[in-house]
């Protein structure tokens, strides 16, 4: 299904509206919707992802989310402490916290490899209804300012994963990923140009899990990496290039008997390049 | 491709967190006033992508108390939207742009091509020629009329050539020594989840032409991606000659500027994966190979980086 939801359900209506309003104003648009329909606050906040915010305290920065929030305080994945400090703030079990520490360490390396900047945080919690299963969210936020190509931009990755308790040596991982990107581009010839987009995808995989060659974090990490590669590729090849085609549908740059040839060539080259990239991406 | 919309796994997990971490009974949500609700609705409508005002309206209406938006209010919002985006209205078998230069009053506009008065329905994007009423004598600056029609003719040729993909029109207006050119084109294909618009306003005053072009593109199949561009063009001198030569020179300058903008955007798109988007996230790590997802290997990478 790719159509907009057609229903009188306020949540469905709100999701429709969010898919039409500018994706560089997600917070403002969402807050407007919540003011229109305060009763749907909880569900809408669960259904609509917003650009991530990061801690402002003195310690190592981390990402704020509903997954590490208790009241008005947020738990740092680096120290396991809440800021501002609170008594009896929710914390993962000791065993899961050990895994969370590793998750933050390895995910931080992943972030550095692909982002060369930004902040990452991973938060884990036990699945009460599934003994031995757990869930986690893996977050990356990268802000860019006055870069060669981007005047001001932000990238947000939100990966929510659920790992089932191992059965016959295998676990099933469900991953939901949302990527939100917002870029004011540099380059005077393009004037003030903003490109923004959000997309969500889901995937599920059942994989061997063991402590040596295929621990949970390795399985989850690979899934996240593949998902991000695929979604970054789609963000470019399917989404951003599509807005270029839309512009070229409104205004035609090339005229004459060979109308569109040059441009078609440019686009095909770009698509071919994109295709080549995808091959590389899916080889390993 | 997986489905968007039903983020159930996501959903249930978040719900879980909410229930554990947060005592919902403490939460109280304050109703905002009708006045504030109207402001929000207006903001949403004014932010609608090209050709989607009605779609946003249909959904927003259902979130508001019944008949909170009066027909008069709606007309006012639509008028503001149309003026801001030089939206095209259909008049007979033609289209014409809405803009403040064409405005006689809230519903009556000058058709600069036929030089007739058009009564516009802002919420239906249609207009009807008012046959029995002439334009007010101040509708155009009589001293500029020959120049205005020459510019109109040249710019119409440009619009026909370069805005053939969707609907498009231009209007050329004159007032107190100043000539304004408004160009508007759009293409709306909601079945295939996209729409786009390009509009520009150009002013010729004291032999100098300056302008601003605004573009929007929206694609929303299983996502929501938008391009928004505003490009201002500084003053350029338009050479002398007769009115026909001036008309051609104006159209040529507009063509050059808008063509350059479209080429610059094209170049940005072509290099996007390796430039703009790479500033945000690389396609692959600098090692050209994927991450080794074990703690030993990643520690090595870390050391490599800290060198």
């Amino acid at each position: 299904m790719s159509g907009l939801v057609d229903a009188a359900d306020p949540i469905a209506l709100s999701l429709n509206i969010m898919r039409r309003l500018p994706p560089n104003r997600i917070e403002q648009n969402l807050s407007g919707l919540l003011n229109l329909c305060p009763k749907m606050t909880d569900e809408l906040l669960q259904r609509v992802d917003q650009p991530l915010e990061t801690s402002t305290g003195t310690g190592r920065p981390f990402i704020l989310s509903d997954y590490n929030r208790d009241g008005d305080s947020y738990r740092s994945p680096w120290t396991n402490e809440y800021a501002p400090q609170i008594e009896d703030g929710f914390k993962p079990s000791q065993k899961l916290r050990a895994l969370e520490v590793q998750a933050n360490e390895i995910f931080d390396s992943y972030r550095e490899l692909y982002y060369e900047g930004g902040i990452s945080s991973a938060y884990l919690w036990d699945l009460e209804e599934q003994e031995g299963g757990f869930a986690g969210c893996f977050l990356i936020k990268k802000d860019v300012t006055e870069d060669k190509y981007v005047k001001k931009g932000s990238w947000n990755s939100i990966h929510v994963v659920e790992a089932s308790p191992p059965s016959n040596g295998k676990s099933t991982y469900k991953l939901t990923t949302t990527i939100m990107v917002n870029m004011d581009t540099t380059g005077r010839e393009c004037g003030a140009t903003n490109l923004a987009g959000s997309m969500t995808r889901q995937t599920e995989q059942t994989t061997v899990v063991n402590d040596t060659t295929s621990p949970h974090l390795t399985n989850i990490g690979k899934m996240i990496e593949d998902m991000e590669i695929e979604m970054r590729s789609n963000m470019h090849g399917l989404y951003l290039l599509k807005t270029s085609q839309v512009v070229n549908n409104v205004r035609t740059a090339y005229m004459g008997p060979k109308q569109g040839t040059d441009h078609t060539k440019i686009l095909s080259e770009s698509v071919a390049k994109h295709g080549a990239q995808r091959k590389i991406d899916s080889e390993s | 491709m997986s489905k968007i919309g039903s983020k159930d796994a996501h959903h249930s997990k978040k719900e879980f967190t909410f229930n554990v971490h947060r005592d919902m009974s403490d939460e109280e949500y304050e109703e905002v006033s009708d006045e504030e609700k109207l402001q929000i609705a207006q903001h949403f409508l004014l932010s609608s992508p090209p050709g989607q005002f009605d779609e946003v309206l249909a959904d927003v209406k259902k979130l508001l108390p019944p008949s909170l938006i009066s027909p008069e209010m709606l007309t006012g919002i639509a008028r503001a939207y149309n003026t801001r985006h030089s939206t095209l209205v259909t008049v007979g078998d033609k289209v014409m742009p809405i803009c403040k230069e064409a405005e006689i009053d809230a519903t009556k506009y000058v058709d600069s091509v036929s030089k007739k008065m058009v009564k516009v329905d802002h919420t239906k994007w249609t207009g009807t020629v008012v046959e029995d009423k002439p334009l007010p004598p101040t509708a155009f600056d009589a001293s500029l009329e020959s120049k205005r029609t020459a510019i109109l003719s040249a710019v119409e040729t440009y619009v026909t050539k370069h805005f053939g993909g969707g609907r498009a029109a231009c209007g050329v207006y004159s007032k107190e020594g100043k000539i304004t050119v408004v160009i508007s084109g759009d293409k709306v294909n909601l079945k295939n989840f996209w729409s786009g618009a390009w509009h520009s306003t150009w002013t010729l005053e004291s032999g100098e032409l300056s302008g601003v072009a605004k573009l929007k593109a929206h694609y929303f199949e299983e996502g929501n991606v938008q391009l928004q561009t505003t490009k201002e063009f500084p003053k350029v001198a338009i050479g002398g000659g007769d009115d026909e030569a001036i008309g051609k020179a104006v159209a040529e300058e507009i063509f050059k500027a808008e063509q350059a903008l479209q080429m610059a955007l094209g170049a940005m798109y072509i290099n996007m994966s390796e430039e703009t988007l790479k500033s945000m996230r690389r396609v692959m790590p600098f090692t050209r190979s994927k991450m080794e997802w074990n703690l030993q290997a990643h520690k090595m990478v870390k050391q490599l980086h800290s060198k």
Side-chain angles (χ1 to χ4, degrees):
Chain A
M1 179 215 78
S2 32
L4 297 185
V5 188
D6 182 26
D9 164 30
I11 296 293
L13 294 168
S14 299
L15 294 176
N16 277 357
I17 292 168
M18 288 301 292
R19 275 178 73 187
R20 297 190 194 275
L21 296 182
N24 59 352
R25 296 267 182 276
I26 291 175
E27 303 95 319
Q28 293 91 326
N29 296 335
L30 183 60
S31 127
L33 285 169
L34 296 178
N35 277 316
L36 287 187
C37 263
K39 285 198 183 80
M40 66 185 177
T41 299
D42 294 306
E43 192 177 350
L44 205 55
L45 285 176
Q46 288 154 20
R47 297 287 294 271
V48 179
D49 287 307
Q50 297 186 71
L52 300 165
E53 293 192 24
T54 51
S55 62
T56 51
T58 49
R60 181 173 177 182
F62 59 94
I63 296 173
L64 312 181
S65 78
D66 279 322
Y67 306 98
N68 63 324
R69 184 171 73 90
D70 197 335
D72 295 326
S73 293
Y74 293 90
R75 184 172 61 92
S76 161
W78 314 116
T79 62
N80 206 25
E81 293 303 320
Y82 277 89
Q85 280 193 333
I86 44 168
E87 296 286 317
D88 302 327
F90 172 87
K91 284 183 182 175
S93 64
Q94 214 177 346
K95 192 178 156 209
L96 201 63
R97 172 60 192 161
L99 191 65
E100 190 182 74
V101 168
Q102 287 187 353
N104 276 285
E105 206 176 324
I106 197 162
F107 198 58
D108 191 50
S109 288
Y110 169 78
R111 176 201 51 71
E112 190 54 39
L113 267 182
Y114 282 91
Y115 292 86
E116 299 172 339
I119 293 170
S120 63
S121 295
Y123 304 106
L124 305 183
W125 61 95
D126 292 293
L127 286 175
E128 281 182 349
E129 64 272 31
Q130 293 183 62
E131 185 71 36
F134 70 94
C137 83
F138 296 76
L139 309 165
I140 293 176
K141 167 85 173 179
K142 183 183 173 189
D143 287 324
V144 169
T145 44
E146 302 301 337
D147 168 273
K148 189 174 173 199
Y149 302 109
V150 177
K151 197 185 291 167
K152 192 172 187 296
S154 82
W155 175 288
N156 304 265
S157 286
I158 301 174
H159 304 275
V160 179
V161 66
E162 196 179 284
S164 75
S167 141
N168 300 323
K170 287 184 172 184
S171 264
T172 297
Y173 302 92
K174 285 183 199 165
L175 173 65
T176 303
T177 299
T178 297
I179 286 181
M180 282 165 280
V181 60
N182 183 8
M183 306 178 286
D184 289 333
T185 61
T186 317
R188 287 165 47 92
E189 314 81 44
C190 294
T193 286
N194 175 270
L195 276 161
S198 72
M199 57 194 285
T200 300
R201 296 290 183 266
Q202 286 184 320
T203 186
E204 192 176 316
Q205 199 174 294
T206 302
T207 316
V208 170
V209 59
N210 58 46
D211 287 342
T212 52
T213 55
S214 195
H216 279 306
L217 286 181
T218 300
N219 294 342
I220 291 170
K222 283 180 175 168
M223 266 180 99
I224 287 178
E225 182 177 22
D226 286 344
M227 183 69 121
E228 273 202 354
I229 287 172
E230 167 84 11
M231 286 177 77
R232 185 205 184 277
S233 174
N234 285 344
M235 183 60 89
H236 171 244
L238 294 181
Y239 283 84
L240 295 172
L241 279 187
K242 182 73 182 184
T243 59
S244 163
Q245 288 169 7
V246 170
V247 170
N248 294 326
N249 262 289
V250 177
R251 188 183 184 279
T252 318
Y254 295 90
M255 289 311 301
K258 289 187 178 175
Q259 181 186 343
T261 314
D262 286 357
H263 192 74
T264 311
K265 196 173 147 232
I266 290 165
L267 266 186
S268 332
E269 276 169 8
S270 174
V271 169
K273 216 168 133 190
H274 166 67
Q277 248 165 34
R278 293 194 61 178
K279 239 179 264 161
I280 295 165
D281 293 349
S282 53
E283 261 168 13
S284 31
Chain B
M1 200 173 282
S2 61
K3 218 163 44 163
I4 183 174
S6 70
K7 290 163 52 177
D8 291 329
H10 205 145
H11 184 163
S12 62
K13 265 168 281 175
K14 280 198 175 179
E15 201 159 46
F16 172 82
T17 341
F18 268 107
N19 293 343
V20 168
H21 296 280
R22 201 166 154 193
D23 185 359
M24 299 304 299
S25 60
D26 289 348
E27 303 272 343
E28 271 181 35
Y29 302 115
E30 268 180 49
E31 283 277 340
V32 301
S33 68
D34 282 355
E35 179 57 34
E36 283 170 280
K37 284 183 180 177
L38 275 173
Q39 276 176 13
I40 293 164
Q42 174 170 328
H43 171 75
F44 286 171
L45 288 167
L46 291 176
S47 312
S48 309
Q52 296 177 54
F53 186 95
D54 274 346
E55 280 70 18
V56 173
L57 175 64
D59 289 338
V60 168
K61 252 188 186 168
K62 292 179 200 158
L63 295 176
L64 294 174
S67 41
L68 183 62
I69 300 190
S70 69
E72 295 75 24
M73 251 179 239
L74 185 61
T75 301
I77 297 170
R79 180 184 163 206
Y81 180 87
N82 294 340
T83 311
R84 187 183 289 185
H85 302 289
S86 307
T87 311
L88 294 166
V89 294
T90 305
V91 186
D93 57 356
K94 298 198 313 180
V95 289
M96 69 170 224
I98 293 299
C99 56
K100 66 176 192 308
E101 288 78 13
E103 195 173 292
I104 298 165
D105 62 36
T107 57
K108 293 193 198 67
Y109 288 78
V110 172
D111 179 347
S112 72
V113 181
S114 68
K115 295 212 249 179
K116 284 185 172 160
M117 189 190 290
V118 172
K119 192 171 190 316
V120 168
D121 185 332
H122 283 288
T123 59
K124 290 197 171 75
W125 293 278
T126 55
T128 43
V129 176
V130 184
E131 297 285 1
D132 57 346
K133 229 175 170 185
L135 284 178
T138 52
F140 295 108
D141 183 334
S143 68
L144 294 173
E145 190 51 16
S146 156
K147 198 184 278 181
R148 187 192 74 82
T149 50
I151 292 171
L152 176 65
S153 159
V155 174
E156 273 188 324
T157 307
Y158 161 70
V159 169
T160 309
K161 256 192 190 169
H162 289 279
F163 291 84
R167 308 183 309 161
C170 64
V172 180
Y173 314 92
S174 59
K175 206 143 247 179
E176 291 156 10
K178 192 168 93 176
I179 292 180
T180 308
V181 178
V182 175
I183 295 169
S184 177
D186 66 19
K187 188 149 186 189
V188 178
N189 191 338
L190 300 187
K191 246 189 189 167
N192 290 312
F193 305 102
W194 60 265
S195 70
W198 177 307
H199 70 102
S200 58
T201 303
W202 296 86
T203 309
L204 180 67
E205 199 172 16
S206 314
E208 288 182 319
L209 182 76
S210 60
V212 58
K214 294 184 181 182
L215 283 68
K216 273 191 185 185
H218 180 215
Y219 178 53
F220 58 107
E221 183 165 16
E222 299 194 14
N224 177 5
V225 176
Q226 297 189 20
L227 161 82
Q228 296 183 55
T229 290
T230 300
K231 165 84 175 162
E232 287 180 28
F233 302 99
K235 282 178 184 167
V236 286
I238 296 295
D242 60 12
D243 289 337
E244 199 189 324
I246 289 171
K248 284 200 170 130
V250 167
E252 178 64 18
E253 283 302 332
I254 293 176
F255 160 74
K256 268 162 52 185
E258 298 198 347
Q259 185 78 357
L261 171 58
Q262 193 168 359
M263 301 303 286
L265 286 170
M268 177 196 76
Y269 276 112
I270 280 159
N271 301 320
M272 181 168 291
S273 191
E274 288 304 314
E275 292 180 351
T276 328
L277 209 49
K278 194 176 174 182
S279 297
M280 308 312 297
R281 184 191 184 277
R282 302 178 64 96
V283 176
M284 288 293 279
F286 73 103
T287 56
R288 299 301 302 160
S289 53
K290 292 214 257 177
M291 168 101 173
E292 287 288 341
W293 284 95
N294 68 65
L295 286 168
Q296 291 315 314
H298 100 263
K299 272 177 183 153
M300 279 169 55
V301 171
K302 221 167 209 180
Q303 282 161 3
L304 216 73
H305 257 273
S306 60
K307 272 177 192 167

